[in-house]
Structures are given as structure tokens and as C-alpha cells.
Amino acid sequence: MSSSDPTVQPVPASVVEQVDAADVTLSNPKRAVISLGSSLGNRLETLQGAVDALEDTPGVRVKAVSPVYETEPWGVDPGTQPNYFNAVVLIKTTLPPSSLLERGHAIEEAYRRVRDERWGPRTLDVDIVAYQDVVLDDPELTLPHPRAHERAFVLVPWQDVDPEAEVPGRGPVARLVEQVGRGGVAARPDLELRLPE
């Protein structure tokens, strides 16, 4: 986390390492980055429900959860939609990308996600941002996420939980944050998502 924003502290590496050391339930897991967003209903409760649902998924363990940010909607005129709460979750998983995508869609559907408007308001957005170092161009799933490198609402919380992270093919997250800036992305230190026990 940049020293220019003292209100939000990154997750200490020691915390992630402790969780990793305690995890003996997965065999040869892959590391994945999940972006969560909600602009309708009880946004914080929805994001926490998504974190818990990921942890409850066989073959998935949540390793770190970023601070919560309030962000302006992407791709629409300012003020035409409610703001989002956004966060990034680091997981380890034995699921292949396609199964992880299916699980993300199932979690969205559990929160009554509607897909009738591109970039429209939504109860919950669950996006796979990156999966290990996999580069995939498939009609169903592109990895890394094709717009992650230009979205501050993904990059800023991702940098919080993994300051050394890189977007495959795009470079270090820290450098990408510098390029896109932090406009429209406001820290919410009064809100917190819990790491599942």
C-alpha cells in the first residue's frame, strides 16, 4: 500500500503465511485472485456472504481479503448509478478455472444477480481476475481478466493484499495502479470483511 493513503493498511505478509502454513487440506493448489463488487442492497453483507461462500466451496480456501473500497460505477456516466463496494480476495484452489467460474456464477445467482444490462447495477459481481500465471482466451473465460489492468477498483485492493502481485502479460500491479490512478476509489476504513475462520 502506498504511504500516501495511511487510512488503509495492507494485510501483513505474516498473516497470509500463517494461513498458508495452517492449510493442509488442499493438494497442489493454485493461487487465484477474485474481485468482488456490489452496488445494490446491503452491499457489505453481500460481499461478506460471497467471501464465506467461496470458503465453503470444496477445493477452495480463502487466504486474504482486502480492505473495502467505495467506487464509482464503471462504464457509465457519474451519478447515474449507485456506488459500489469493492474488494479483492486471494484464494488457493484445486478447481480448474472453468469450475471456479461456474462457482462464481452460482454465488452471484444466490444473490439474485441479473445480467440484463452491460455495466448495470448489480447485487453481486464475482470475477476471476487471475489464476496462477494462466493466460487463456476462451469465449467463456479470459485470463487474466481482460480489463483488470485498467480498473483501479480491482488494482488498488489487489495491491493491498499482495503488494508484489503482477497481472500476467501486463506487469506489476503497483505500476498499473500508478498508471490508472486512484480516482473514484475511496477507502472505507469503517467497513471490514472478515477472513473466514
mmCIF file of all heavy atoms in Angstrom, residues 16-59:
data_model
loop_
_atom_site.group_PDB
_atom_site.id
_atom_site.type_symbol
_atom_site.label_atom_id
_atom_site.label_comp_id
_atom_site.label_asym_id
_atom_site.label_seq_id
_atom_site.Cartn_x
_atom_site.Cartn_y
_atom_site.Cartn_z
ATOM 1 N N VAL A 16 -0.884 -13.883 5.901
ATOM 2 C CA VAL A 16 -1.101 -14.797 4.782
ATOM 3 C C VAL A 16 -0.261 -16.055 4.960
ATOM 4 O O VAL A 16 -0.728 -17.171 4.730
ATOM 5 C CB VAL A 16 -0.761 -14.110 3.446
ATOM 6 C CG1 VAL A 16 -0.924 -15.070 2.283
ATOM 7 C CG2 VAL A 16 -1.638 -12.879 3.254
ATOM 8 N N GLU A 17 0.984 -15.883 5.412
ATOM 9 C CA GLU A 17 1.859 -17.041 5.599
ATOM 10 C C GLU A 17 1.327 -17.969 6.670
ATOM 11 O O GLU A 17 1.400 -19.198 6.549
ATOM 12 C CB GLU A 17 3.268 -16.569 5.956
ATOM 13 C CG GLU A 17 3.995 -15.914 4.780
ATOM 14 C CD GLU A 17 5.237 -15.169 5.209
ATOM 15 O OE1 GLU A 17 5.591 -15.242 6.405
ATOM 16 O OE2 GLU A 17 5.856 -14.505 4.357
ATOM 17 N N GLN A 18 0.761 -17.402 7.752
ATOM 18 C CA GLN A 18 0.207 -18.238 8.811
ATOM 19 C C GLN A 18 -0.966 -19.059 8.295
ATOM 20 O O GLN A 18 -1.091 -20.250 8.600
ATOM 21 C CB GLN A 18 -0.247 -17.369 9.991
ATOM 22 C CG GLN A 18 0.908 -16.795 10.791
ATOM 23 C CD GLN A 18 0.452 -15.740 11.778
ATOM 24 O OE1 GLN A 18 -0.741 -15.545 11.976
ATOM 25 N NE2 GLN A 18 1.397 -15.058 12.388
ATOM 26 N N VAL A 19 -1.806 -18.438 7.503
ATOM 27 C CA VAL A 19 -2.935 -19.166 6.942
ATOM 28 C C VAL A 19 -2.435 -20.251 6.004
ATOM 29 O O VAL A 19 -2.920 -21.381 6.019
ATOM 30 C CB VAL A 19 -3.896 -18.204 6.205
ATOM 31 C CG1 VAL A 19 -5.032 -18.972 5.545
ATOM 32 C CG2 VAL A 19 -4.471 -17.183 7.173
ATOM 33 N N ASP A 20 -1.447 -19.932 5.180
ATOM 34 C CA ASP A 20 -0.882 -20.926 4.268
ATOM 35 C C ASP A 20 -0.322 -22.114 5.057
ATOM 36 O O ASP A 20 -0.534 -23.263 4.698
ATOM 37 C CB ASP A 20 0.238 -20.314 3.422
ATOM 38 C CG ASP A 20 -0.297 -19.444 2.298
ATOM 39 O OD1 ASP A 20 -1.507 -19.501 2.038
ATOM 40 O OD2 ASP A 20 0.496 -18.711 1.703
ATOM 41 N N ALA A 21 0.422 -21.821 6.117
ATOM 42 C CA ALA A 21 1.058 -22.882 6.880
ATOM 43 C C ALA A 21 0.029 -23.790 7.539
ATOM 44 O O ALA A 21 0.261 -24.981 7.728
ATOM 45 C CB ALA A 21 1.972 -22.265 7.944
ATOM 46 N N ALA A 22 -1.117 -23.220 7.880
ATOM 47 C CA ALA A 22 -2.140 -23.998 8.568
ATOM 48 C C ALA A 22 -2.988 -24.820 7.605
ATOM 49 O O ALA A 22 -3.761 -25.676 8.027
ATOM 50 C CB ALA A 22 -3.050 -23.062 9.365
ATOM 51 N N ASP A 23 -2.863 -24.572 6.323
ATOM 52 C CA ASP A 23 -3.725 -25.223 5.341
ATOM 53 C C ASP A 23 -3.086 -26.511 4.849
ATOM 54 O O ASP A 23 -2.135 -26.489 4.082
ATOM 55 C CB ASP A 23 -3.990 -24.276 4.172
ATOM 56 C CG ASP A 23 -4.983 -24.850 3.173
ATOM 57 O OD1 ASP A 23 -5.499 -25.957 3.449
ATOM 58 O OD2 ASP A 23 -5.231 -24.212 2.157
ATOM 59 N N VAL A 24 -3.629 -27.635 5.286
ATOM 60 C CA VAL A 24 -3.126 -28.923 4.835
ATOM 61 C C VAL A 24 -4.229 -29.690 4.107
ATOM 62 O O VAL A 24 -4.127 -30.885 3.891
ATOM 63 C CB VAL A 24 -2.598 -29.759 6.020
ATOM 64 C CG1 VAL A 24 -1.389 -29.092 6.634
ATOM 65 C CG2 VAL A 24 -3.681 -29.967 7.067
ATOM 66 N N THR A 25 -5.309 -28.986 3.755
ATOM 67 C CA THR A 25 -6.480 -29.663 3.198
ATOM 68 C C THR A 25 -6.474 -29.714 1.671
ATOM 69 O O THR A 25 -7.263 -30.452 1.096
ATOM 70 C CB THR A 25 -7.767 -28.979 3.662
ATOM 71 O OG1 THR A 25 -7.749 -27.611 3.213
ATOM 72 C CG2 THR A 25 -7.874 -29.011 5.186
ATOM 73 N N LEU A 26 -5.635 -28.951 1.019
ATOM 74 C CA LEU A 26 -5.615 -28.938 -0.437
ATOM 75 C C LEU A 26 -4.316 -29.533 -0.953
ATOM 76 O O LEU A 26 -3.245 -29.263 -0.420
ATOM 77 C CB LEU A 26 -5.754 -27.505 -0.971
ATOM 78 C CG LEU A 26 -7.036 -26.749 -0.622
ATOM 79 C CD1 LEU A 26 -7.004 -25.367 -1.259
ATOM 80 C CD2 LEU A 26 -8.268 -27.512 -1.067
ATOM 81 N N SER A 27 -4.423 -30.326 -2.005
ATOM 82 C CA SER A 27 -3.249 -30.941 -2.616
ATOM 83 C C SER A 27 -2.904 -30.190 -3.900
ATOM 84 O O SER A 27 -3.726 -30.101 -4.809
ATOM 85 C CB SER A 27 -3.545 -32.406 -2.917
ATOM 86 O OG SER A 27 -2.467 -32.992 -3.591
ATOM 87 N N ASN A 28 -1.693 -29.648 -3.956
ATOM 88 C CA ASN A 28 -1.199 -28.921 -5.128
ATOM 89 C C ASN A 28 -2.161 -27.824 -5.584
ATOM 90 O O ASN A 28 -2.589 -27.797 -6.733
ATOM 91 C CB ASN A 28 -0.933 -29.892 -6.279
ATOM 92 C CG ASN A 28 -0.151 -29.245 -7.401
ATOM 93 O OD1 ASN A 28 0.631 -28.322 -7.179
ATOM 94 N ND2 ASN A 28 -0.376 -29.710 -8.624
ATOM 95 N N PRO A 29 -2.508 -26.894 -4.700
ATOM 96 C CA PRO A 29 -3.466 -25.847 -5.080
ATOM 97 C C PRO A 29 -2.837 -24.780 -5.959
ATOM 98 O O PRO A 29 -1.620 -24.599 -5.974
ATOM 99 C CB PRO A 29 -3.870 -25.256 -3.727
ATOM 100 C CG PRO A 29 -2.651 -25.429 -2.874
ATOM 101 C CD PRO A 29 -2.046 -26.749 -3.315
ATOM 102 N N LYS A 30 -3.689 -24.082 -6.694
ATOM 103 C CA LYS A 30 -3.291 -22.932 -7.500
ATOM 104 C C LYS A 30 -3.757 -21.658 -6.805
ATOM 105 O O LYS A 30 -4.754 -21.647 -6.086
ATOM 106 C CB LYS A 30 -3.914 -23.009 -8.895
ATOM 107 C CG LYS A 30 -3.671 -24.306 -9.630
ATOM 108 C CD LYS A 30 -2.203 -24.572 -9.857
ATOM 109 C CE LYS A 30 -2.017 -25.856 -10.685
ATOM 110 N NZ LYS A 30 -0.606 -26.247 -10.765
ATOM 111 N N ARG A 31 -3.065 -20.577 -7.071
ATOM 112 C CA ARG A 31 -3.408 -19.288 -6.478
ATOM 113 C C ARG A 31 -4.281 -18.519 -7.464
ATOM 114 O O ARG A 31 -3.972 -18.447 -8.653
ATOM 115 C CB ARG A 31 -2.128 -18.513 -6.179
ATOM 116 C CG ARG A 31 -2.310 -17.237 -5.373
ATOM 117 C CD ARG A 31 -0.937 -16.659 -5.080
ATOM 118 N NE ARG A 31 -0.997 -15.434 -4.319
ATOM 119 C CZ ARG A 31 -0.959 -15.370 -2.996
ATOM 120 N NH1 ARG A 31 -0.872 -16.491 -2.289
ATOM 121 N NH2 ARG A 31 -1.003 -14.218 -2.366
ATOM 122 N N ALA A 32 -5.359 -17.956 -6.966
ATOM 123 C CA ALA A 32 -6.256 -17.178 -7.824
ATOM 124 C C ALA A 32 -6.657 -15.893 -7.117
ATOM 125 O O ALA A 32 -6.632 -15.798 -5.890
ATOM 126 C CB ALA A 32 -7.493 -17.996 -8.194
ATOM 127 N N VAL A 33 -7.021 -14.913 -7.930
ATOM 128 C CA VAL A 33 -7.435 -13.596 -7.437
ATOM 129 C C VAL A 33 -8.876 -13.378 -7.884
ATOM 130 O O VAL A 33 -9.182 -13.484 -9.074
ATOM 131 C CB VAL A 33 -6.526 -12.484 -8.001
ATOM 132 C CG1 VAL A 33 -6.954 -11.118 -7.475
ATOM 133 C CG2 VAL A 33 -5.067 -12.766 -7.668
ATOM 134 N N ILE A 34 -9.738 -13.074 -6.921
ATOM 135 C CA ILE A 34 -11.154 -12.862 -7.188
ATOM 136 C C ILE A 34 -11.527 -11.434 -6.816
ATOM 137 O O ILE A 34 -11.201 -10.963 -5.719
ATOM 138 C CB ILE A 34 -12.037 -13.830 -6.362
ATOM 139 C CG1 ILE A 34 -11.595 -15.282 -6.555
ATOM 140 C CG2 ILE A 34 -13.512 -13.641 -6.700
ATOM 141 C CD1 ILE A 34 -11.842 -15.845 -7.916
ATOM 142 N N SER A 35 -12.205 -10.757 -7.725
ATOM 143 C CA SER A 35 -12.705 -9.410 -7.460
ATOM 144 C C SER A 35 -14.193 -9.502 -7.121
ATOM 145 O O SER A 35 -14.955 -10.182 -7.813
ATOM 146 C CB SER A 35 -12.497 -8.523 -8.691
ATOM 147 O OG SER A 35 -13.093 -7.255 -8.506
ATOM 148 N N LEU A 36 -14.596 -8.803 -6.067
ATOM 149 C CA LEU A 36 -15.991 -8.763 -5.649
ATOM 150 C C LEU A 36 -16.508 -7.333 -5.726
ATOM 151 O O LEU A 36 -15.793 -6.389 -5.381
ATOM 152 C CB LEU A 36 -16.145 -9.262 -4.208
ATOM 153 C CG LEU A 36 -15.629 -10.662 -3.888
ATOM 154 C CD1 LEU A 36 -15.786 -10.940 -2.392
ATOM 155 C CD2 LEU A 36 -16.356 -11.710 -4.714
ATOM 156 N N GLY A 37 -17.749 -7.187 -6.160
ATOM 157 C CA GLY A 37 -18.370 -5.866 -6.202
ATOM 158 C C GLY A 37 -19.860 -5.969 -5.955
ATOM 159 O O GLY A 37 -20.495 -6.955 -6.328
ATOM 160 N N SER A 38 -20.419 -4.938 -5.319
ATOM 161 C CA SER A 38 -21.858 -4.897 -5.070
ATOM 162 C C SER A 38 -22.311 -3.445 -5.047
ATOM 163 O O SER A 38 -21.675 -2.601 -4.402
ATOM 164 C CB SER A 38 -22.200 -5.561 -3.731
ATOM 165 O OG SER A 38 -23.581 -5.438 -3.452
ATOM 166 N N SER A 39 -23.433 -3.161 -5.760
ATOM 167 C CA SER A 39 -23.954 -1.791 -5.757
ATOM 168 C C SER A 39 -25.427 -1.727 -5.362
ATOM 169 O O SER A 39 -25.996 -0.643 -5.338
ATOM 170 C CB SER A 39 -23.773 -1.143 -7.143
ATOM 171 O OG SER A 39 -24.585 -1.783 -8.116
ATOM 172 N N LEU A 40 -26.029 -2.860 -5.061
ATOM 173 C CA LEU A 40 -27.446 -2.890 -4.689
ATOM 174 C C LEU A 40 -27.632 -3.649 -3.381
ATOM 175 O O LEU A 40 -26.895 -4.593 -3.098
ATOM 176 C CB LEU A 40 -28.280 -3.569 -5.785
ATOM 177 C CG LEU A 40 -28.297 -2.916 -7.164
ATOM 178 C CD1 LEU A 40 -29.057 -3.805 -8.150
ATOM 179 C CD2 LEU A 40 -28.924 -1.529 -7.100
ATOM 180 N N GLY A 41 -28.647 -3.251 -2.612
ATOM 181 C CA GLY A 41 -28.953 -3.950 -1.373
ATOM 182 C C GLY A 41 -27.932 -3.652 -0.292
ATOM 183 O O GLY A 41 -27.269 -2.611 -0.290
ATOM 184 N N ASN A 42 -27.795 -4.577 0.649
ATOM 185 C CA ASN A 42 -26.812 -4.441 1.725
ATOM 186 C C ASN A 42 -25.457 -4.879 1.173
ATOM 187 O O ASN A 42 -25.103 -6.064 1.183
ATOM 188 C CB ASN A 42 -27.209 -5.295 2.932
ATOM 189 C CG ASN A 42 -26.317 -5.020 4.143
ATOM 190 O OD1 ASN A 42 -25.123 -4.761 3.994
ATOM 191 N ND2 ASN A 42 -26.892 -5.075 5.322
ATOM 192 N N ARG A 43 -24.714 -3.913 0.658
ATOM 193 C CA ARG A 43 -23.508 -4.222 -0.093
ATOM 194 C C ARG A 43 -22.449 -4.933 0.740
ATOM 195 O O ARG A 43 -21.829 -5.901 0.279
ATOM 196 C CB ARG A 43 -22.942 -2.927 -0.697
ATOM 197 C CG ARG A 43 -23.874 -2.270 -1.694
ATOM 198 C CD ARG A 43 -23.418 -0.869 -2.072
ATOM 199 N NE ARG A 43 -23.552 0.046 -0.932
ATOM 200 C CZ ARG A 43 -23.105 1.303 -0.934
ATOM 201 N NH1 ARG A 43 -22.488 1.784 -2.004
ATOM 202 N NH2 ARG A 43 -23.273 2.076 0.122
ATOM 203 N N LEU A 44 -22.222 -4.475 1.959
ATOM 204 C CA LEU A 44 -21.198 -5.099 2.801
ATOM 205 C C LEU A 44 -21.596 -6.525 3.158
ATOM 206 O O LEU A 44 -20.774 -7.450 3.089
ATOM 207 C CB LEU A 44 -20.967 -4.274 4.066
ATOM 208 C CG LEU A 44 -19.842 -4.792 4.973
ATOM 209 C CD1 LEU A 44 -18.493 -4.683 4.266
ATOM 210 C CD2 LEU A 44 -19.825 -4.032 6.296
ATOM 211 N N GLU A 45 -22.843 -6.727 3.521
ATOM 212 C CA GLU A 45 -23.314 -8.062 3.872
ATOM 213 C C GLU A 45 -23.193 -9.006 2.671
ATOM 214 O O GLU A 45 -22.830 -10.175 2.817
ATOM 215 C CB GLU A 45 -24.772 -7.979 4.337
ATOM 216 C CG GLU A 45 -25.351 -9.288 4.808
ATOM 217 C CD GLU A 45 -26.765 -9.111 5.321
ATOM 218 O OE1 GLU A 45 -26.930 -8.499 6.399
ATOM 219 O OE2 GLU A 45 -27.705 -9.560 4.641
ATOM 220 N N THR A 46 -23.492 -8.498 1.493
ATOM 221 C CA THR A 46 -23.383 -9.307 0.284
ATOM 222 C C THR A 46 -21.936 -9.711 0.018
ATOM 223 O O THR A 46 -21.648 -10.873 -0.294
ATOM 224 C CB THR A 46 -23.952 -8.548 -0.926
ATOM 225 O OG1 THR A 46 -25.353 -8.329 -0.711
ATOM 226 C CG2 THR A 46 -23.764 -9.326 -2.210
ATOM 227 N N LEU A 47 -21.010 -8.757 0.150
ATOM 228 C CA LEU A 47 -19.602 -9.092 -0.069
ATOM 229 C C LEU A 47 -19.123 -10.123 0.946
ATOM 230 O O LEU A 47 -18.397 -11.064 0.592
ATOM 231 C CB LEU A 47 -18.732 -7.837 0.004
ATOM 232 C CG LEU A 47 -18.920 -6.791 -1.093
ATOM 233 C CD1 LEU A 47 -17.857 -5.706 -0.960
ATOM 234 C CD2 LEU A 47 -18.886 -7.404 -2.479
ATOM 235 N N GLN A 48 -19.527 -9.961 2.206
ATOM 236 C CA GLN A 48 -19.122 -10.944 3.217
ATOM 237 C C GLN A 48 -19.719 -12.308 2.904
ATOM 238 O O GLN A 48 -19.058 -13.339 3.052
ATOM 239 C CB GLN A 48 -19.562 -10.496 4.613
ATOM 240 C CG GLN A 48 -19.074 -11.420 5.735
ATOM 241 C CD GLN A 48 -17.564 -11.436 5.843
ATOM 242 O OE1 GLN A 48 -16.940 -10.395 6.077
ATOM 243 N NE2 GLN A 48 -16.950 -12.614 5.677
ATOM 244 N N GLY A 49 -20.956 -12.320 2.430
ATOM 245 C CA GLY A 49 -21.570 -13.588 2.046
ATOM 246 C C GLY A 49 -20.822 -14.265 0.914
ATOM 247 O O GLY A 49 -20.674 -15.495 0.892
ATOM 248 N N ALA A 50 -20.322 -13.475 -0.029
ATOM 249 C CA ALA A 50 -19.553 -14.036 -1.131
ATOM 250 C C ALA A 50 -18.226 -14.609 -0.643
ATOM 251 O O ALA A 50 -17.805 -15.690 -1.087
ATOM 252 C CB ALA A 50 -19.306 -12.969 -2.199
ATOM 253 N N VAL A 51 -17.559 -13.908 0.267
ATOM 254 C CA VAL A 51 -16.312 -14.419 0.846
ATOM 255 C C VAL A 51 -16.572 -15.748 1.540
ATOM 256 O O VAL A 51 -15.841 -16.737 1.352
ATOM 257 C CB VAL A 51 -15.704 -13.395 1.829
ATOM 258 C CG1 VAL A 51 -14.524 -14.005 2.580
ATOM 259 C CG2 VAL A 51 -15.266 -12.136 1.098
ATOM 260 N N ASP A 52 -17.631 -15.796 2.347
ATOM 261 C CA ASP A 52 -17.953 -17.024 3.076
ATOM 262 C C ASP A 52 -18.320 -18.159 2.118
ATOM 263 O O ASP A 52 -17.959 -19.320 2.346
ATOM 264 C CB ASP A 52 -19.102 -16.764 4.049
ATOM 265 C CG ASP A 52 -18.723 -15.783 5.155
ATOM 266 O OD1 ASP A 52 -17.515 -15.563 5.382
ATOM 267 O OD2 ASP A 52 -19.650 -15.218 5.776
ATOM 268 N N ALA A 53 -19.052 -17.824 1.042
ATOM 269 C CA ALA A 53 -19.442 -18.846 0.073
ATOM 270 C C ALA A 53 -18.226 -19.414 -0.652
ATOM 271 O O ALA A 53 -18.170 -20.616 -0.949
ATOM 272 C CB ALA A 53 -20.442 -18.267 -0.927
ATOM 273 N N LEU A 54 -17.247 -18.568 -0.945
ATOM 274 C CA LEU A 54 -16.020 -19.068 -1.553
ATOM 275 C C LEU A 54 -15.317 -20.038 -0.609
ATOM 276 O O LEU A 54 -14.885 -21.127 -1.021
ATOM 277 C CB LEU A 54 -15.088 -17.905 -1.905
ATOM 278 C CG LEU A 54 -15.467 -17.080 -3.131
ATOM 279 C CD1 LEU A 54 -14.651 -15.791 -3.186
ATOM 280 C CD2 LEU A 54 -15.267 -17.888 -4.424
ATOM 281 N N GLU A 55 -15.229 -19.671 0.655
ATOM 282 C CA GLU A 55 -14.573 -20.533 1.639
ATOM 283 C C GLU A 55 -15.322 -21.856 1.803
ATOM 284 O O GLU A 55 -14.704 -22.897 2.037
ATOM 285 C CB GLU A 55 -14.471 -19.813 2.988
ATOM 286 C CG GLU A 55 -13.885 -20.644 4.115
ATOM 287 C CD GLU A 55 -12.418 -21.030 3.916
ATOM 288 O OE1 GLU A 55 -11.724 -20.371 3.110
ATOM 289 O OE2 GLU A 55 -11.972 -21.990 4.573
ATOM 290 N N ASP A 56 -16.633 -21.825 1.662
ATOM 291 C CA ASP A 56 -17.446 -23.037 1.809
ATOM 292 C C ASP A 56 -17.378 -23.948 0.583
ATOM 293 O O ASP A 56 -17.952 -25.039 0.587
ATOM 294 C CB ASP A 56 -18.911 -22.665 2.072
ATOM 295 C CG ASP A 56 -19.121 -22.085 3.460
ATOM 296 O OD1 ASP A 56 -18.240 -22.275 4.331
ATOM 297 O OD2 ASP A 56 -20.163 -21.433 3.677
ATOM 298 N N THR A 57 -16.714 -23.510 -0.469
ATOM 299 C CA THR A 57 -16.617 -24.284 -1.707
ATOM 300 C C THR A 57 -15.560 -25.374 -1.562
ATOM 301 O O THR A 57 -14.411 -25.069 -1.240
ATOM 302 C CB THR A 57 -16.241 -23.365 -2.885
ATOM 303 O OG1 THR A 57 -17.190 -22.313 -2.995
ATOM 304 C CG2 THR A 57 -16.178 -24.145 -4.188
ATOM 305 N N PRO A 58 -15.918 -26.635 -1.804
ATOM 306 C CA PRO A 58 -14.894 -27.688 -1.771
ATOM 307 C C PRO A 58 -13.782 -27.378 -2.767
ATOM 308 O O PRO A 58 -14.040 -27.014 -3.917
ATOM 309 C CB PRO A 58 -15.671 -28.947 -2.184
ATOM 310 C CG PRO A 58 -17.094 -28.670 -1.791
ATOM 311 C CD PRO A 58 -17.271 -27.188 -2.045
ATOM 312 N N GLY A 59 -12.548 -27.505 -2.297
ATOM 313 C CA GLY A 59 -11.412 -27.230 -3.171
ATOM 314 C C GLY A 59 -11.000 -25.772 -3.205
ATOM 315 O O GLY A 59 -10.156 -25.389 -4.015
#
